Amino acid sequence: FHALCARLLRREASHVGLSRDFVIYDSSDQLAAVKQILRDQQVDDSFLAPRAALSRISHAKNRMESPAAMLARRSSYRDDVVARVYDEYVKTLAASGALDFDDLLLKTVELFERSELVRTSYSRRFRFVMVDEYQDTNRPQYLLMRRLAEHHRNLTVVGDPDQSIYAWRGADIRNILDFETDFPEAKVVMLERNYRSTQVILEAASALIANNRNR
């Protein structure tokens, strides 16, 4: 997803107010930016660790939650500080002409929403779309996939609704649980033979999975 989005944004940057030579912040760049913001706001690392702040920011972006929305739903002073750091982080990236990895997804969603011409062009170009590990997609990835497939509806997703482990980084299990509602014409192929695990492991896993509330 991220590599595709970076390519599309380099080509179509002007549609979302970006320069084509925008910088992509890696994890060390992101951490350095947050550390500087915490220093500027005189927030001690013992109260809010930079990595913890960055994790909260990334999680908010994966939910497509703005700094203002985070601030509105704060329930503690710590939440208030995180929201303010988030706001400054967004401003820092904008001033540097930079995007982080989460922004690559968000800006491409914005691109597709803003420009029907661009959206239609890529939807027609990518005539077949396949998404692996679908249970671990987040909201922006879901919106991108739907937009790319909206013209031809040639979409295949592969995933296991009993195996979603990335909620901590924004994965939304509803994407796979609601797939048959979103694409009612899809054919479901069940892959029920396990070639990897012994029967003892399968029985133990099945005993746990049987307690899942959403299944």
Side-chain angles (χ1 to χ4, degrees):
F1 273 102
H2 295 86
L4 174 64
C5 289
R7 285 171 55 199
L8 298 189
L9 289 173
R10 293 287 184 203
R11 293 173 183 167
E12 313 292 348
S14 60
H15 291 280
V16 284
L18 284 175
S19 167
R20 287 191 176 187
D21 58 354
F22 63 84
V23 177
I24 299 176
Y25 270 20
D26 62 17
S27 55
S28 60
D29 296 323
Q30 294 172 257
L31 193 60
V34 168
K35 284 181 177 179
Q36 185 60 55
I37 292 166
L38 290 172
R39 283 194 292 269
D40 292 343
Q41 297 197 0
Q42 299 181 323
V43 177
D44 194 270
D45 285 6
S46 61
F47 176 75
L48 179 62
R51 290 187 186 279
L54 197 54
S55 177
R56 290 280 301 275
I57 290 168
S58 180
H59 201 61
K61 287 188 175 188
N62 285 329
R63 294 195 308 269
M64 304 183 75
E65 182 180 60
S66 67
M70 179 186 279
L71 190 63
R73 69 172 187 83
R74 69 191 185 279
S75 58
S76 67
Y77 176 64
R78 186 187 183 87
D79 290 345
D80 185 84
V81 172
V82 173
R84 286 190 283 110
V85 171
Y86 181 13
D87 188 51
E88 288 301 315
Y89 176 75
V90 170
K91 292 175 182 175
T92 297
L93 264 63
S96 303
L99 301 178
D100 63 17
F101 293 124
D102 297 320
D103 290 332
L104 293 174
L105 303 177
L106 294 173
K107 280 295 182 182
T108 308
V109 170
E110 182 183 341
L111 170 67
F112 284 174
E113 295 301 324
R114 276 196 187 187
S115 176
E116 183 179 355
L117 183 65
V118 171
R119 182 173 72 243
T120 303
S121 171
Y122 285 108
S123 181
R124 290 179 185 274
R125 178 176 179 179
F126 295 110
R127 294 185 297 118
F128 299 92
V129 177
M130 190 190 81
V131 183
D132 196 12
E133 302 292 358
Y134 189 66
Q135 76 279 354
D136 292 325
T137 53
N138 58 31
R139 184 65 181 175
Q141 290 168 333
Y142 165 81
L143 293 173
L144 288 170
M145 176 274 299
R146 287 206 65 173
R147 284 304 195 184
L148 283 175
E150 71 179 359
H151 177 70
H152 47 66
R153 308 287 283 186
N154 294 325
L155 174 68
T156 298
V157 303
V158 184
D160 182 350
D162 292 325
Q163 194 179 294
S164 184
I165 60 173
Y166 287 109
W168 58 273
R169 72 178 190 196
D172 191 342
I173 188 63
R174 290 175 303 174
N175 291 355
I176 194 166
L177 294 180
D178 295 342
F179 182 78
E180 291 174 70
T181 302
D182 294 336
F183 295 90
E185 72 273 33
K187 178 182 178 181
V188 178
V189 179
M190 304 298 289
L191 306 177
E192 296 180 306
R193 177 169 296 182
N194 188 302
Y195 293 93
R196 179 181 295 174
S197 304
T198 64
Q199 191 63 35
V200 171
I201 292 172
L202 291 174
E203 288 172 359
S206 295
L208 282 173
I209 291 166
N211 295 293
N212 287 354
R213 289 189 299 272
N214 294 324
R215 293 277 289 168

